Every structure is written in structure tokens, then in C-alpha cells.
Amino acid sequence: MATEIITPNTTTMADLKGRVEPDWCPGCGDFGVLAAVQKALVELQIPQHEVCTISGIGCSSNFPGFIETYGMHTLHGRALPVATGVKMANHGLTVLVTGGDGDGFGIGCGHLVHSMRRNVDLTYIVMDNQIYGLTTGQTSPTSRMAMKTKSTPYGNVENPVNPIALALAAGATYVARGFSADQKHLTELIKKGIEHKGFSLIDVFSPCVTFNHDNTVQWFRPRVKRLEDDPNYDASSLNAAMEKAQIWGEEIPIGRFFELTGQPSLEEMEPVLELGPLVRQSYQIPAEKARRFIEELM
Amino acid sequence: MRQSFSIGIGGAAGQGVASPGDIFAKVFTRRGLHLNAYNAYQSVIRGGHTFLTMRVGESAIGAVDGHLDLLIPLNQDTADRHLRLLQAGGACLYNADTIHPGTPGEGVALCPLPVSTLADISRNKIAQNTLAIGAALSMMGIGFQSLESILAAQFRSKGSAVIEENVKLARAGYDYASQNFKPFAAPMPLTEKRYAALSGNTAMAMGAAAAGVKFYCAYPMSPATGVLHWMAQHGREAEIMVRQVEDEIGVINMAIGAAHAGVRSMCATSGGGFALMSEGLGLSAQAEIPVVVIDCQRAGPSTGVPTKTEQGDLWQMLGAAFGDYPRVIAAPLDIADCFTLMPEIFNVTDRFQCPGIVLCDLLLSEGRLSVDPAVLDFAPRVDRGELITSNGSGDGEPYKRYKITPSGVSPRVIPGVPGHTHVVSSDEHDEDGVLISDVYTNHAKRRAMMEKRMRKVEGIAAAVAPPQMLGPEDADVTLVGWGSTYGVIQEACELLREQRITANHLPIRWLVPLHGDVILGLLGKARHTIIVENNFSGQFARYLRSETSYVANGHIRKYDGEPFFPEHIVAAVKEQLAGRTKLSVPAHEVMV
């Protein structure tokens, strides 16, 4: 018996609570990111069934299971192409992509660069803990030089990726960095990212309490400085953003580095989508068109 | 023997071998003639050697062969390589200024075209091509008017001056040949029929469009790129989203994303690109998101020979991605089947929510065949399976994406429908979609989910037609092939019959499901069985043996990058029936 489901008029935190509790380590930064995403969706009042949360593989990639939206848990590093496919086939959905630094800046880095240059309307939230957690503590693409991990017992000798500079260079139109322990600020960054038309990268410091003893909440807290606190900072300037992206050490900027508005997103560039979301279009080729396709061959 | 006429056109890459081929194809199919064309080429943009063979006749032509009735060499190299392929009654039509064909076989006419006196070659570098087309038409007894409209269409984008010039050139060649060359003994027939001439890649793209595909993505790779080209050219009109993606890993995952959002979704590649897609294929199976992947096989391994054909990817398809999961694999039998297979495989993958692989090869992908336009049916049966697309179409129960059912199929919902939120997952999960890979790990649930997915195998086997024996039930020899060998084996059977050897043919189209019992039943009655395939190790023979324990009496294999000719199979059958060998590997005699 078919039954129409009556949807509530409002989206609440309770609606978005996942059907299982997160199994992250107690104190994991990812709890803060999850709460910030849920708050952002509540504040924007986006119905849960119009959201698709897509992840790769890793601790943070278990995220879609902990929030009650449509979700996809995909392959390691492949969340962005999957999400692009979802968005292309139904651009009416709000598509969030969640994952870790290994997933996004390591195995999936190629897809990241291309997703950014395409300016596809996705909000990509990277829970960056500068370590591989689920595989029990190896160096990651954002691990600092000299960091000792299980795979670099004598200290890491490779330079880390600078996600902000990478995103700016690749053409992302919204580039931000958050800190999981600064919930309110992070929620704002995520809200702006969702509202931004085009690709948004939000790199979030989300410390790993178990395997990264260098970059802890205590380490970050005195260092992070909100760009929003500087009234002279101009987030529409690519050069200013690139300059800020180079700062790392006693002071680490967080906030909205860059936003370019008015740039058409990939969906807006595609005439086929002018007819509405692909999934709602007819899939029957009209006889007249079919005749033309065949006639070309005769 | 089938009445047919073969034309060979060869030259260096960049000399314009393709467009005379296109023009001839139109001339013949508009006369209601069948054709089969194969272009032997190299992975080079300029230079090297390209050789197009086109065989034409009143009845269907399943393969090209190593004989020519007309050779048009565009350079000396081509004349040197192929003059000897001309049979008695044939002719070589060439540019007298630049080519010295040498001594032809008996009964072969040399027809020199004085290109520099007939055309201003300082202006038109490819004048010899157009002159030769005109001359050839005259010798084949075809009226000139049929060429005019084809040339106009061919050169439309280049403007009326170019059209006019080419028509004039073709006319000059036509008239010169009428006055100076002897026409072929039998003029080209004319029938009431009209055919479309198309490649397998075009056929697969159109078949997918007919099946309702709305999302196509790819990374360019020979010999699959033709699918992308048709899609890119026609996507807007056909209302299909077409994307070129950064790599094949991105391709399959993007296709899966689109499929998950609810549209029919497809991608195409060749063996190397497919290797990159393997993990994604596993995702499609585990998350139960249907996706169709075309693999156009080329000679491997590694990057192999990009422009040469092979049937060497079967075991890659059988073993792609780790773990056990339901999949379907089908190999189109000919270019027409490249079209008709697509709606069928989409229906199966949609119904059973699993990955589907179309195992094509360069021979079909880039070959050209005349196809009755009625076969190109753009209103095929579409079965999207158990798909919840709107609010109110569910059963009112709390939704479980991976609900355990007797068929193994759980109703799928497209994201956006209220009240059905869930997670689809690459990690093992329970009925609800909750991961059972971490704190919820549970061996009983894991077993139940494996059994649920694998139950689909039975349904898939019932949904697909088993293979059928073609030809007389009682035969001296039974030839077993799969995919693209269909046409060449069919013709070999006819040739054998003329030599008083009765042969029948078991073409395998669905590799998974295989219908092993049906095959055993059919082969159990056979007197002498020979498996024919375009690879080194007998990939199908080994697969058949692993599934059924059946061991054939003999094998015919070819792995030099070129397709079988009917004569290869005839000669091999004869040597095997005479007890001289159990494994024949025919040598390719055309120097390409």
C-alpha cells in the first residue's frame, strides 16, 4: 500500500541525528565538525532528504552514517567524482562531501584539483588531522616535516601539501579553513560554503587525539587567528588569499580565505540541465530525433 | 561463396584514407548493398600505413577477407604491400604521376590516372582521392549522380567552392575512367533496400541513448573513444549529460554517482582504463548501484597495441575487483548487436542493481557494417527495476535500502524522496545501510548480506536468453566463438559446406551468466568441437572448462592484432579434422 510521507516543515538537530552514534575516539575533532554541519543545515533549513552527504574512506569518512541525510560511503579518495556524478544527475540536491586529509589530499588529490577547476557546486569538508588514523598512525600528505609517525619513525622528510594554496591555484571559488574546536566559526564557514554557488573547500583542523600528539587542540588554540577579525582582509582578492595561505607557525590563519562570486558553476554551464535535474527529465528520445540520428548514417 | 566485391584503400595516416571510405559506404548502402569494412591502422597521426578494406554485396557480409577486387593505393608503399591481394578480374587504380605499381597477378588490370593533367595538384593535395572515387564508380557501373549529394554532404562544412571543386574532380575521374578503363565484369547491383552504415562505437552509443542513458562519461582511450565522440556530438540533442573526466578512476565513480542519483549511466574504455576502474566496479556491486561499462578490447597487455584488435580481456572482466559479487558480461556479436545489446544489458543491471560489462573489441568498435535501420529501435522495452522515484511510491514501512528479500533485490530509492534517507555503502552494511565493518561488525549479518546479493545470480540467469546452435544439428564440426567472431565463423561455415564439410556454430553472447548446462547439452551432441578466439591462451576455452569441465577437441586462435578471415578458419578446420593439429594459429597474410 503506497503511503505518502508527510515531511515536517522544519529541519531540527534531532532530525539530523544519525541512526548510530559516531564511533570516533572520545575527544576526536570530528565530533565538532559533525555538529557544525548539522547546525549549518538547521540554520539554513535545508530538508534532510534534499541533502546527499558523500564520503570516501577513513575515520572521518564514516561521517555519512552519523547524520540522517541521504548518504554515500564510497571508495578511498573517490568521494569527489561520485559526488560530481550525483550533482550532475540531480542538481536540486545539496551535495556535501566529507573526508580526511589522506582521502582528499593523498589518494584523491587528482580528483580534488579537477573538481576545483570545474567549479562544480559541491561543499567539500576535509577533516584534516595531519595523520592516517584508521590505519593506526602513518604520515599523511599534510603531516609536518620531521613529524614522527609509524611510517616515519625517524621523522618525515617530505614537505606537506598546502591545501589552501592548492585550492586557490586550482580555481576553487570558495576556500576556507576552520578549526573543529571553534564550532560557531566553523558553522558559519560551512553555511557560507553551502550557500556558495560553485566548489567550496573547507579544510578543517580536526585533531586526532590518538595518533597525532604534535598538532593537538592545545597546539592549535593559541595559534589560530580568524581572518574575519581583520576588518581590512579582502576575501575577494586571490593575491591576498595566496599570501595568507603561506602563513604557518606561531600564527595560523583560519576563516574564509577566498570567495569568488558570480562565476557560473558547472551545472550552470551545461545546457542539458536547463530542462531541470537530469533525473526528472524524460529518457525517451523522441521519434523525430531518433530518425535524424539514423538518417546521418544513411 | 558469397557474392561480394572488395575494395582496399591505403596510404599514410593523414593522406585521407577515411573519407573515401565514408563516401563509398554511403554510395553502397544507398544502393541497398551490404558492406563490412575494417581499417587496419597504426598509433600515429601522420605517416605510417593505413589500410581500409571494404567488402560489399547483396547479402549480409559478416567479415572482410584477404582478397581484393579493387585497390586504390594513395602511395607507393600501399601498392607494394597489397597489389598481390588483387584477384583475377580486379583492378588497381592509382596516381600515374607518383606510383609505379609493378607487375600485377594474372587478369588484374592496371588503371593509371593522370592526376596532374586532370587536376591542379598544386592547389588540391588530395585530388587523387576524389579522382579515384569518381573513376572507381564508373568502373563499378554506378551512375555519377549518386555521388554528387554525398560529396556535398561530406564537404558541407568547407563551403560551396570546395563542394563544387570536388564534384568537378570526381566527374573528371569518372569520365576519364569511362573512356580509358574497362569496367568490372559485373556492375554493382542495385536493390530496393537502404541501410545505415555505422561503427560499433556509434552503435553502442546510440543503443545506450535508445536505452535511456542520461549520463555518459569517459577518458579518451583507443579504441573506445568513438563512443565519447558520438555522445559529445549528440548529447545536447539527445539530452544526455556527457563529461570527459580526468582519469578512468574518476570516470567509473562519476558514473556510479549519477546512477545513484537515479539516471541510467554509462562509461567506456579499453583494457588499460578498465584496469583502473576495477575498484569502482566493486563499489557498484557492493553499494548495489547499476552501471554499464563498455570495454573495447585491444591487443594487450599494458598499453599493448592501441590500434589492434584482440579478445584478451575476458579474464580481467571475470576477475575485476576483489570479492564475490553478481555481475553481467555480454559480448555483442556484430555491429548491429552493439546497438540491440544496450537496452538489454541496462534492463538487467537495473533490475538486479549490479554492474554490467559490454565486452566489445576494436574489430567491432571501429569496423563498419551496413545495418537495417529498423534494427536501430529507439523505443525499446525499458525496465528500471524496483525503483522508488517519488513520495508515496514506497510501501509505508520504514525504508531499508538493503532489505533482505527472496530475490536478493531490494527496492532502490533515488535521493531526494522524503522519508527514505539512508546510507549506501562500500563497506559491508546491514539492511539499514549501517556499516558492519566497525563496532557493529557481525558475522551473521555479513553472511546474510553476501547471500542476499549472491541470490541475484539466479535471477540474472533466468533473465537472459541462453545461447543457441546455428546451422544443422548434425555436423562434422561445431565451431564455438564469442562476441565479434560471429560473422567470420558464419561465413566459414558456408565455405566449409561448399567443400562438403558440414559445420554448425555456437556463438556466445552472454558470458556471465554463461548457461553452462545449456552449452553442455548442445556440445554433448557435437562430433568435433573447435573453439575460435582472438587471443593466445584460449581465454574462453579456459573459462568454459572452469565452469563446465568441458574440453573442446581443438582450438583456433589468433593474437597478431588482426582479425580472422573466413579462409583462416576453413583451413584450420580442415587441418584439425585431418588430425594434423589441435591448435591452429593462422598467419595473417595482409601486410598491415
Side-chain angles (χ1 to χ4, degrees), chain A residues 2 23 70 118 270 289 292, chain B residues 237 243 246 392 417 421 438:
Chain A
D23 51 14
Y70 278 96
R118 285 183 189 122
E270 279 295 345
K289 279 186 188 174
R292 271 206 301 278
Chain B
E237 197 178 354
R243 303 233 63 82
E246 60 271 16
V417 177
T421 53
D438 46 22

Side-chain angles (χ1 to χ4, degrees), chain A residues 56-210:
Chain A
I57 294 293
C59 292
S60 53
S61 283
N62 287 347
F63 192 103
F66 308 139
I67 182 168
E68 196 58 36
T69 66
Y70 278 96
M72 294 182 85
H73 179 247
T74 75
L75 297 168
H76 195 27
R78 313 306 165 204
L80 284 170
V82 173
T84 303
V86 169
K87 189 73 183 183
M88 290 289 108
N90 187 352
H91 63 277
L93 296 171
T94 296
V95 181
L96 308 179
V97 188
T98 56
D101 40 304
D103 197 73
F105 306 140
I107 191 168
C109 196
H111 303 309
L112 173 61
V113 169
H114 292 283
S115 304
M116 292 192 290
R117 81 174 165 86
R118 285 183 189 122
N119 200 32
V120 51
D121 187 16
L122 303 174
T123 306
Y124 185 28
I125 301 157
V126 180
M127 284 154 268
D128 186 350
N129 58 11
Q130 299 153 276
I131 194 88
Y132 280 76
L134 200 54
T135 50
T136 71
Q138 297 80 24
T139 184
S140 106
T142 50
S143 293
R144 297 290 123 189
M145 189 76 106
M147 185 174 175
K148 288 186 178 174
T149 70
K150 280 186 185 161
S151 60
T152 54
Y154 307 107
N156 178 24
V157 296
E158 295 180 13
N159 271 313
V161 165
N162 180 336
I164 303 297
L166 176 70
L168 294 169
T173 50
Y174 178 95
V175 182
R177 182 151 66 198
F179 178 36
S180 69
D182 191 348
Q183 275 273 313
K184 221 174 140 197
H185 180 241
L186 178 58
T187 305
E188 282 306 310
L189 292 178
I190 293 170
K191 272 167 64 182
K192 286 207 173 75
I194 292 171
E195 285 176 318
H196 175 77
K197 200 89 191 110
F199 191 92
S200 318
L201 172 72
I202 305 161
D203 184 36
V204 185
F205 295 136
S206 181
C208 173
V209 291
T210 308

Side-chain angles (χ1 to χ4, degrees), chain B residues 382-446:
Chain B
V382 170
D383 182 353
R384 300 250 24 220
E386 296 180 57
L387 189 65
I388 301 166
T389 58
S390 60
N391 195 1
S393 59
D395 61 6
E397 298 293 313
Y399 178 68
K400 287 182 173 173
R401 169 64 188 94
Y402 299 112
K403 188 176 177 180
I404 290 177
T405 60
S407 66
V409 176
S410 322
R412 196 158 74 93
V413 65
I414 62 169
V417 177
H420 290 74
T421 53
H422 65 277
V423 177
V424 293
S425 178
S426 171
D427 271 20
E428 189 60 284
H429 39 260
D430 66 10
E431 287 184 272
D432 248 345
V434 173
L435 307 195
I436 58 164
S437 51
D438 46 22
V439 295
Y440 303 103
T441 298
N442 180 318
H443 58 81
K445 283 185 177 176
R446 156 69 178 173

Side-chain angles (χ1 to χ4, degrees), chain A residues 1-7 15 19-23 48-54 56-57 61-90 93 107 110-112 114-115 117-118 134 266-267 269-273 275 277-298, chain B residues 26 29-30 194-198 202 206 209-215 230 234-247 249-251 253-263 279-280 283 287 289 373 376-380 382 384 389-397 399 413-427 432-435 437-440:
Chain A
M1 180 54 196
T3 323
E4 179 128 7
I5 289 153
I6 312 297
T7 49
D15 294 333
R19 50 189 83 177
V20 294
E21 290 298 325
D23 51 14
Q48 65 189 129
H49 63 269
E50 289 175 12
V51 179
C52 198
T53 311
I54 301 172
I57 294 293
S61 283
N62 287 347
F63 192 103
F66 308 139
I67 182 168
E68 196 58 36
T69 66
Y70 278 96
M72 294 182 85
H73 179 247
T74 75
L75 297 168
H76 195 27
R78 313 306 165 204
L80 284 170
V82 173
T84 303
V86 169
K87 189 73 183 183
M88 290 289 108
N90 187 352
L93 296 171
I107 191 168
H111 303 309
L112 173 61
H114 292 283
S115 304
R117 81 174 165 86
R118 285 183 189 122
L134 200 54
L266 184 61
E267 314 81 71
M269 296 290 290
E270 279 295 345
V272 171
L273 298 185
L275 305 159
L278 212 53
V279 68
R280 296 296 171 201
Q281 293 179 18
S282 162
Y283 53 75
Q284 270 259 301
I285 306 251
E288 179 52 30
K289 279 186 188 174
R291 201 191 53 75
R292 271 206 301 278
F293 294 156
I294 296 169
E295 203 56 44
E296 279 174 25
L297 308 167
M298 299 185 69
Chain B
K26 285 230 155 80
T29 51
R30 286 182 184 185
R194 274 190 82 205
Y195 299 108
L198 68 164
T202 296
M206 289 173 71
V213 78
K214 294 293 285 180
F215 187 88
W230 191 92
H234 298 85
R236 287 189 183 177
E237 197 178 354
E239 293 162 16
I240 297 169
M241 166 70 72
V242 183
R243 303 233 63 82
Q244 182 176 327
V245 183
E246 60 271 16
D247 57 39
I249 300 175
V251 165
N253 284 288
M254 208 176 277
I256 288 170
H260 176 64
V263 299
E279 194 186 23
L283 173 62
I289 299 167
L376 308 174
D377 175 12
F378 272 80
V382 170
R384 300 250 24 220
T389 58
S390 60
N391 195 1
S393 59
D395 61 6
E397 298 293 313
Y399 178 68
V413 65
I414 62 169
V417 177
H420 290 74
T421 53
H422 65 277
V423 177
V424 293
S425 178
S426 171
D427 271 20
D432 248 345
V434 173
L435 307 195
S437 51
D438 46 22
V439 295
Y440 303 103

Side-chain angles (χ1 to χ4, degrees), chain B residues 236-312:
Chain B
R236 287 189 183 177
E237 197 178 354
E239 293 162 16
I240 297 169
M241 166 70 72
V242 183
R243 303 233 63 82
Q244 182 176 327
V245 183
E246 60 271 16
D247 57 39
E248 287 90 346
I249 300 175
V251 165
I252 182 109
N253 284 288
M254 208 176 277
I256 288 170
H260 176 64
V263 299
R264 282 192 162 176
S265 174
M266 181 175 88
C267 53
T269 186
S270 187
F274 190 89
L276 297 183
M277 293 184 178
S278 293
E279 194 186 23
L281 212 71
L283 173 62
S284 156
Q286 175 78 331
E288 304 194 49
I289 299 167
V291 65
V292 171
V293 182
I294 296 170
D295 176 50
C296 303
Q297 298 167 96
R298 70 191 211 188
S302 191
T303 46
V305 198
T307 63
K308 297 297 168 187
T309 198
E310 199 162 274
Q311 294 180 298

Side-chain angles (χ1 to χ4, degrees), chain B residues 201-550:
Chain B
N201 281 340
T202 296
M204 288 187 289
M206 289 173 71
V213 78
K214 294 293 285 180
F215 187 88
Y216 178 79
C217 61
Y219 184 85
M221 185 171 189
S222 301
T225 315
V227 183
L228 173 63
H229 289 172
W230 191 92
M231 285 290 184
Q233 192 68 43
H234 298 85
R236 287 189 183 177
E237 197 178 354
E239 293 162 16
I240 297 169
M241 166 70 72
V242 183
R243 303 233 63 82
Q244 182 176 327
V245 183
E246 60 271 16
D247 57 39
E248 287 90 346
I249 300 175
V251 165
I252 182 109
N253 284 288
M254 208 176 277
I256 288 170
H260 176 64
V263 299
R264 282 192 162 176
S265 174
M266 181 175 88
C267 53
T269 186
S270 187
F274 190 89
L276 297 183
M277 293 184 178
S278 293
E279 194 186 23
L281 212 71
L283 173 62
S284 156
Q286 175 78 331
E288 304 194 49
I289 299 167
V291 65
V292 171
V293 182
I294 296 170
D295 176 50
C296 303
Q297 298 167 96
R298 70 191 211 188
S302 191
T303 46
V305 198
T307 63
K308 297 297 168 187
T309 198
E310 199 162 274
Q311 294 180 298
D313 291 8
L314 176 58
W315 280 84
Q316 181 182 204
M317 301 303 126
L318 294 169
F322 66 102
D324 285 318
Y325 63 88
R327 76 191 85 192
V328 294
I329 305 175
L333 301 178
D334 62 17
I335 288 172
D337 198 30
C338 285
F339 184 98
T340 49
L341 179 63
M342 300 312 298
E344 286 181 52
I345 198 162
F346 269 105
N347 286 348
V348 176
T349 55
D350 258 356
R351 271 183 66 193
F352 296 96
Q353 302 175 9
C354 69
I357 298 166
V358 177
L359 196 44
C360 193
D361 55 25
L362 182 140
L363 178 63
L364 298 185
S365 276
E366 298 193 336
R368 207 68 84 79
L369 190 74
S370 51
V371 175
D372 183 339
V375 171
L376 308 174
D377 175 12
F378 272 80
R381 191 178 66 86
V382 170
D383 182 353
R384 300 250 24 220
E386 296 180 57
L387 189 65
I388 301 166
T389 58
S390 60
N391 195 1
S393 59
D395 61 6
E397 298 293 313
Y399 178 68
K400 287 182 173 173
R401 169 64 188 94
Y402 299 112
K403 188 176 177 180
I404 290 177
T405 60
S407 66
V409 176
S410 322
R412 196 158 74 93
V413 65
I414 62 169
V417 177
H420 290 74
T421 53
H422 65 277
V423 177
V424 293
S425 178
S426 171
D427 271 20
E428 189 60 284
H429 39 260
D430 66 10
E431 287 184 272
D432 248 345
V434 173
L435 307 195
I436 58 164
S437 51
D438 46 22
V439 295
Y440 303 103
T441 298
N442 180 318
H443 58 81
K445 283 185 177 176
R446 156 69 178 173
R447 176 176 168 168
M449 290 312 294
M450 274 305 287
E451 289 173 354
K452 173 198 113 67
R453 283 191 297 270
M454 295 310 286
R455 269 201 296 282
K456 294 193 272 188
V457 168
E458 213 175 298
I460 291 169
V464 162
Q468 285 184 318
M469 188 70 81
L470 307 178
E473 197 173 318
D474 183 36
D476 299 322
V477 64
T478 295
L479 298 170
V480 183
W482 60 281
S484 66
T485 54
Y486 168 80
V488 73
I489 295 178
Q490 281 297 93
E491 182 161 354
C493 289
E494 287 177 27
L495 294 175
L496 284 165
R497 199 171 313 134
E498 287 163 20
Q499 301 182 33
R500 303 195 182 285
I501 298 169
T502 54
N504 55 17
H505 175 198
L506 182 63
I508 305 295
R509 183 173 185 250
W510 288 93
L511 292 145
V512 177
L514 184 66
H515 294 107
D517 292 345
V518 174
I519 293 174
L520 274 184
L522 292 167
L523 296 186
K525 291 184 256 176
R527 278 193 250 165
H528 189 104
T529 55
I530 298 176
I531 299 178
V532 183
E533 51 189 320
N534 255 126
N535 60 56
F536 180 88
S537 69
Q539 295 199 3
F540 178 75
R542 291 190 289 123
Y543 172 49
L544 182 65
R545 187 172 178 177
S546 78
E547 291 293 303
T548 63
S549 299
Y550 185 83

